[in-house]
Amino acid sequence: MTLPQDIQSSAEDYMDSQTHSNRPISSILIIIAMQTEALPLVEKFQLSEDHNSVFPKEVPWVRYHGVYKDLQINLIWPGKDSALGVDSVGTISASLVTYASIQALQPDLIINAGTAGGFKAKGASIGDVFLVSECAFHDRRIPIPVFDLYGVGLKQTLKTPNLLAGLDLKVGKLSTGDSLDMSMQDEASIIANDATVKDMEGAAVAYVADMFKVPAIFVKAVTDIVDGEKPTAEEFLQNLATVSAALDEAVTQVIHFISGKCIHEL
């Protein structure tokens, strides 16, 4: 008996996913938006910059790669904007980089690491590092039934109870938008998302990872208190270097924990 092509493909995808989850993780993809956040990990794991890029020559994306124990590590930084020379932050770069990296590198696991704003009303403090439980957008407002849910784009992250038990990380929900500040409309959406931390990339990475069924975890370190007294931009810049070091340490611990384990053991 020959199965219809679509059913056969679904069955093959399922079997592939089962095989994938029952073998040790061998390749991880780390996506980090800012150079300041990325370089400590590049140095820690002695990663080399790829000068023969796997990406199109027109894009500024930078790949660092290397091997740690039994893990092939690829760290992708979206690079500097070609016109303005600043880090290519935000959801557009994050989506494109995630898509292209999955196609080129075929990772077993994605780690989106970065700094974020935190909410003291939800228990966040400067320097806290969170393992994200779910991601959603707060600035895609489409007030039409069902389209409104699409706009929020809620995605669950990979459940990692053993990782959480083994490391001293907090857990919280992440809300993503393309602005560093927070408008009143954004604030209402963030509250509706029940978010503890706010960034500019996470939900975009989650969207693409989910599309290609690549497990993804999100590690976010708090640089600024969004509902605090200091201006967000000032506090962010003041704490970026110090908090990036805390992020580096947390991601290092995550990679140590992942080494030698299968997805289902996380």
Side-chain angles (χ1 to χ4, degrees):
M1 176 181 175
T2 302
L3 293 172
Q5 186 61 44
D6 58 342
I7 297 177
Q8 184 176 344
S9 297
S10 296
E12 290 172 352
D13 289 345
Y14 175 77
M15 293 302 294
D16 287 345
S17 69
Q18 295 305 297
T19 301
H20 176 89
S21 67
N22 287 307
R23 62 175 173 79
I25 298 163
S26 63
S27 174
I28 60 173
L29 168 64
I30 305 172
I31 297 174
I32 300 186
M34 300 189 72
Q35 188 177 40
T36 301
E37 301 164 343
L39 288 183
L41 284 171
V42 171
E43 295 172 5
K44 177 74 68 71
F45 290 98
Q46 298 183 322
L47 304 180
S48 300
E49 184 174 346
D50 183 6
H51 295 289
N52 297 305
S53 180
V54 297
F55 302 124
K57 67 182 187 318
E58 294 85 0
V59 302
W61 311 335
V62 180
R63 172 188 174 230
Y64 299 98
H65 61 97
V67 176
Y68 169 73
K69 294 185 178 179
D70 49 3
L71 288 174
Q72 176 69 42
I73 299 176
N74 286 288
L75 187 154
I76 311 299
W77 164 52
K80 301 280 189 180
D81 179 82
S82 59
L84 300 174
V86 296
D87 289 288
S88 300
V89 300
T91 60
I92 295 175
S93 286
S95 298
L96 289 169
V97 162
T98 304
Y99 170 79
S101 298
I102 290 173
Q103 297 303 302
L105 304 170
Q106 298 292 304
D108 296 327
L109 177 70
I110 293 172
I111 301 173
N112 175 223
T115 54
F119 292 86
K120 65 179 180 181
K122 301 290 289 183
S125 300
I126 300 294
D128 283 350
V129 182
F130 285 85
L131 197 62
V132 173
S133 58
E134 60 183 44
C135 305
F137 293 97
H138 58 253
D139 60 355
R140 304 200 314 178
R141 291 177 287 276
I142 313 174
I144 302 172
V146 186
F147 279 96
D148 56 352
L149 299 177
Y150 169 78
V152 172
L154 178 65
K155 300 295 181 187
Q156 301 294 322
T157 64
L158 178 68
K159 303 305 179 190
T160 56
N162 296 325
L163 173 64
L164 188 59
L167 302 182
D168 184 24
L169 300 177
K170 294 186 174 184
V171 179
K173 298 177 183 178
L174 172 67
S175 196
T176 296
D178 271 310
S179 297
L180 184 65
D181 64 0
M182 182 175 67
S183 69
M184 291 179 62
Q185 295 94 331
D186 289 345
E187 183 177 15
S189 296
I190 290 168
I191 291 171
N193 289 341
D194 193 29
T196 301
V197 285
K198 163 188 175 290
D199 82 340
M200 297 176 65
E201 292 84 24
V205 174
Y207 174 81
V208 180
D210 180 69
M211 182 180 292
F212 290 97
K213 306 307 177 193
V214 181
I217 60 178
F218 300 78
V219 183
K220 300 292 174 176
V222 176
T223 49
D224 53 279
I225 300 302
V226 184
D227 54 347
E229 297 177 359
K230 290 186 177 181
T232 294
E234 176 185 324
E235 194 168 33
F236 167 76
L237 292 172
Q238 178 183 337
N239 295 315
L240 179 59
T242 302
V243 173
S244 291
L247 177 69
D248 159 53
E249 181 58 32
V251 175
T252 299
Q253 292 176 5
V254 169
I255 293 172
H256 287 330
F257 187 90
I258 287 170
S259 178
K261 293 183 175 63
C262 305
I263 291 290
H264 68 83
E265 294 176 315
L266 301 182

